[in-house]
Structure formats: C-alpha cells, structure tokens
Amino acid sequence: MTHAYTPGLRISEKTKIASRRSLPLLGDVLVKKGATLKAEDVVAVTHLPGKVHVTNAVNRLGIQPKDLKDYMLKKEGDSVQKNEPIAETRPWLKMMKSVLLSPITGTIETISTITGQILLREPPRPIEVYSHVDGIVTEVMEKEGVVVETVGTFIQGIFGVGGETVGELAIAVDGPDDIITADKIHSEYKDKIIVGGAFVEYDTIEKAKKIGVKGIIVGGFNDDDLKKLLGYDLGVAITGSEEIDITLIITEGFGRIQMAQRTFELLKSRAGAKISINGATQIRAGVVRPEIIIPLATQTTGEKDTGMADRGMEIGDPVRVIRAPYFGRIGNIKALPFSPQLIETEATVRVLEVAFADGTSAVVPRTNVEMIET
C-alpha cells in the first residue's frame, strides 16, 4: 500500500501524553518518580543570574585605578542596597569628599584595579517550572526536570499565541460554526478557558482579557487582528512567550473557518473539566503546534495510547491542508499517486488528492498537509 510520512495534527479522545518539564539552567528537582501531581505544582526551580551593572568608579572619585581598593567601603562578594555608599575619598577638607553610591540592590562582583570599574550584579531571579498537567512523574532528570505522564484528551491546534495556562473548560457558543462575539463573554468566564466556534473578533478578546479569561480556543481568527493583539507584526518566529494576558489557540486557520465538528464535540463533552493549554507554535525548522490537554480524573501509568500509531498516510485518512490556497481546509485522502508531479511552482514533487466535505477536491503537495489523528 502507498504511504507518505508527515507530521500528524493529533486529535485524540483518550491517549497517553508525556510532557517534558525542563529548566532553562541546571537547578533543583523537587519531586520524585511516581509522585502524583496537580498542574499547579512546582516540579523544579533554578535561579537566573541577575543583570550586571558597570560603574566607572575612578571617574566618579577622581582617583587612579590602582588605588581603587584603598577607597572601597565594600569588598567583592558583599551585598549592597541601592544608594548605599560603596566607596569614598578621604580629603583633608570633608566638603571635598566624593562618595560613590550603589546604583542597585545586589552584590559587588568585581573591583578592577586595571580598568577602575566596579561590576555589580542584581539578585538572581528565581525560575519555577510547573507540572502544567495533572499527572504522574515517570522520569526524573537530575538537576534538569521531569517527565509528567497523563491520560486524557489531546488536541493540537494549527496556530496559537500566548504561553501555558490552566483553567476550567467552558463552551461559549452553541455550535462549531458560531462566531464568539463580545456579548457572549460574561463575568462567569473569569479564570476559565472558553471554546468559540468558527471565529473570534478582536473586541471579544479584549473584553475577555478585561474579565480575566485565561484562554480562548476557536476555529479561526483574522490575521490583521493578530497584529493588533500583539502590537507588532509577528513574522516568522516561534510563539508562546507573548505577554498579552491571554492564550489564543486557532484550530483551523485564518479567517472564518468552522471548527471541525469532532473537535468541537470532543471539547463540549469535556466542559467543566480542568484543561491545560499552550499556544506555542513554530511552523518552520521543527514543527511545534499549540496543545490542548484535558486529563482524565483518574490517572494510571502504563495505559495504552489509543491514538493513531506512527504510520504513513492511507487513502481515506483525514488530513488538514497547511499551505495556501487551501490553508486550514479539512478533507480525506482520495488518491496517493506514486509518481511525482509538476506543480504550479514548476517543482516536481509527490502529491496527493484531497476530497473536501463540500464535494470539491484538490491536488496538493504531500508536504502541504498534516494527518489528523482521531
């Protein structure tokens, strides 16, 4: 049978999910293998070095670099408070004394008798890594982090912005083709993650942010509104670190696109459940997709993954097109021609034929689609 291998856009009602939770620098892991965690539990901590401030002491004091240590009131390694004297001259007339004050609260790191500079460092910044999902620790990586395993519903979106967040799942529309407008956002959605239908308006997101909604999952979004939401043109980058006070996950594409019926029904069936989402997305140079994870109430290890096994495409498989002009459209594989074909760009590539729900079909490069795991 003809196969084509491609990354899968997963939609699984019940599957085993392993989440790697790692520190940016070596630090301390706080949990042990086998521990049962809540999404809000801290699993590891580390400290990022504080910002360094350089002070040209000799210019301020009017002395020679080789004499700097003779005028210091503090030594290397000492802690200091902002505006605390750290060095001073001792002239015969007190009114001629020059005093050097610390520009920050932190630590004196280096006193150089070569350059005449003092390097001060701000206090280290603590970094905490949370479990993000309710689950069980299945692996501990010493000083690095852990792997948390959970069994639950797993859905990948096609694009997202905003980082990790956790909340209660709420359905804000009646069907997958509805538009979630500002009048549908109520105070009861505070601290929740809500599901829209085919489209969300920019004003709706702004109202949701004011109310305190943690996240929105919706079929489509206007790319012009994305620039308004971020305050800049995103360009080609990995998302997920935006400071926009909300996480947005698009399941289908840009524009008004009905959320896939199965995706909507799956989310609707888990309304009221605790949900973990992450909007991080990268299309090129290593695909990263936004994720929706809804753990089951009871967690057990060793449960078999009920999602699609790693295999190639087959006729009849559901796929989503991820490039223009059919971006975001969902269909089923109608044919998998074996021989490469010449496409509009004059490149010769392997293609497939996709049959869409409206009865139309299209021939697209195989690299322009993703498998949907159901």
Side-chain angles (χ1 to χ4, degrees):
M1 186 175 291
T2 304
H3 292 302
Y5 290 93
T6 186
L9 195 64
R10 298 186 62 186
I11 303 173
S12 301
E13 180 177 0
K14 183 181 179 182
T15 187
K16 183 168 65 177
I17 307 146
S19 178
R20 187 182 180 94
R21 313 299 297 163
S22 301
L23 291 165
L25 298 173
L26 295 181
D28 298 312
V29 176
L30 306 180
V31 296
K32 296 181 179 179
K33 185 176 180 179
T36 300
L37 303 176
K38 295 294 184 184
E40 301 82 1
D41 291 340
V42 178
V43 299
V45 296
T46 190
H47 290 81
L48 292 180
K51 182 181 177 181
V52 172
H53 294 256
V54 179
T55 299
N56 196 325
V58 294
N59 284 357
R60 299 283 297 276
L61 297 175
I63 60 175
Q64 295 296 316
K66 63 183 180 61
D67 300 324
L68 177 57
K69 290 189 177 181
D70 295 334
Y71 295 94
M72 292 296 301
L73 301 176
K74 296 282 187 176
K75 61 182 183 297
E76 291 179 355
D78 284 354
S79 59
V80 294
Q81 298 297 315
K82 185 174 182 179
N83 294 325
E84 178 184 0
I86 57 175
E88 65 180 18
T89 58
R90 291 181 287 277
W92 290 102
L93 295 176
K94 290 185 178 180
M95 62 181 299
M96 302 295 292
K97 182 170 70 172
S98 297
V99 179
L100 178 63
L101 304 180
S102 173
I104 63 163
T105 294
T107 307
I108 294 180
E109 187 160 291
T110 303
I111 302 170
S112 175
T113 56
I114 304 299
T115 64
Q117 294 179 329
I118 300 173
L119 272 60
L120 301 98
R121 189 180 292 275
E122 293 180 0
R125 293 183 291 122
I127 298 293
E128 297 179 330
V129 173
Y130 293 84
S131 175
H132 182 54
V133 295
D134 293 358
I136 297 171
V137 179
T138 57
E139 181 182 351
V140 174
M141 300 161 288
E142 187 177 359
K143 297 184 180 299
E144 293 183 18
V146 299
V147 175
V148 180
E149 189 175 287
T150 192
V151 176
T153 299
F154 182 75
I155 300 170
Q156 285 182 314
I158 201 164
F159 181 80
V161 288
E164 298 177 345
T165 191
V166 179
E168 181 184 329
L169 179 62
I171 310 298
V173 294
D174 295 325
D177 194 36
D178 291 343
I179 294 178
I180 180 168
T181 52
D183 61 291
K184 295 180 180 179
I185 305 296
H186 309 297
S187 58
E188 65 190 67
Y189 292 145
K190 178 179 171 58
D191 295 328
K192 294 185 180 180
I193 295 168
I194 60 177
V195 175
F199 189 76
V200 62
E201 299 173 335
Y202 173 76
D203 291 344
T204 304
I205 296 177
E206 289 300 300
K207 183 178 179 181
K209 288 165 61 176
K210 290 178 181 178
I211 287 176
V213 173
K214 289 188 173 182
I216 298 176
I217 304 167
V218 70
F221 186 53
N222 191 318
D223 54 355
D224 290 332
D225 287 343
L226 177 63
K227 185 175 181 179
K228 290 170 63 177
L229 178 64
L230 298 178
Y232 56 88
D233 192 352
L234 183 62
V236 179
I238 185 168
T239 71
S241 59
E242 300 80 15
E243 297 181 359
I244 54 175
D245 299 322
I246 198 167
T247 296
L248 173 67
I249 293 181
I250 301 169
T251 63
E252 313 304 323
F254 288 102
R256 176 175 176 172
I257 309 176
Q258 176 179 321
M259 182 180 289
Q261 187 72 36
R262 172 169 170 76
T263 302
F264 184 82
E265 293 299 332
L266 196 51
L267 290 168
K268 187 176 180 180
S269 71
R270 301 301 307 276
K274 186 177 182 180
I275 177 173
S276 302
I277 65 174
N278 184 3
T281 308
Q282 180 169 292
I283 306 299
R284 300 179 183 177
V287 175
V288 175
R289 292 296 187 192
E291 295 181 344
I292 302 165
I293 301 173
I294 315 174
L296 297 177
T298 303
Q299 292 294 315
T300 56
T301 57
E303 187 153 350
K304 186 178 180 181
D305 188 341
T306 57
M308 184 180 291
D310 291 333
R311 64 167 177 81
M313 290 179 174
E314 297 177 0
I315 292 175
D317 282 347
V319 293
R320 186 193 311 266
V321 184
I322 61 171
R323 296 287 187 275
Y326 305 103
F327 181 80
R329 297 195 66 181
I330 294 175
N332 294 86
I333 297 175
K334 184 177 180 180
L336 287 166
F338 179 78
S339 300
Q341 295 185 16
L342 184 68
I343 59 175
E344 293 179 358
T345 62
E346 299 186 356
T348 301
V349 299
R350 299 191 72 188
V351 299
L352 56 79
E353 185 176 359
V354 183
F356 300 118
D358 61 3
T360 62
S361 62
V363 175
V364 298
R366 296 187 184 186
T367 56
N368 287 5
V369 301
E370 288 184 320
M371 295 173 62
I372 296 177
E373 298 189 27
T374 58

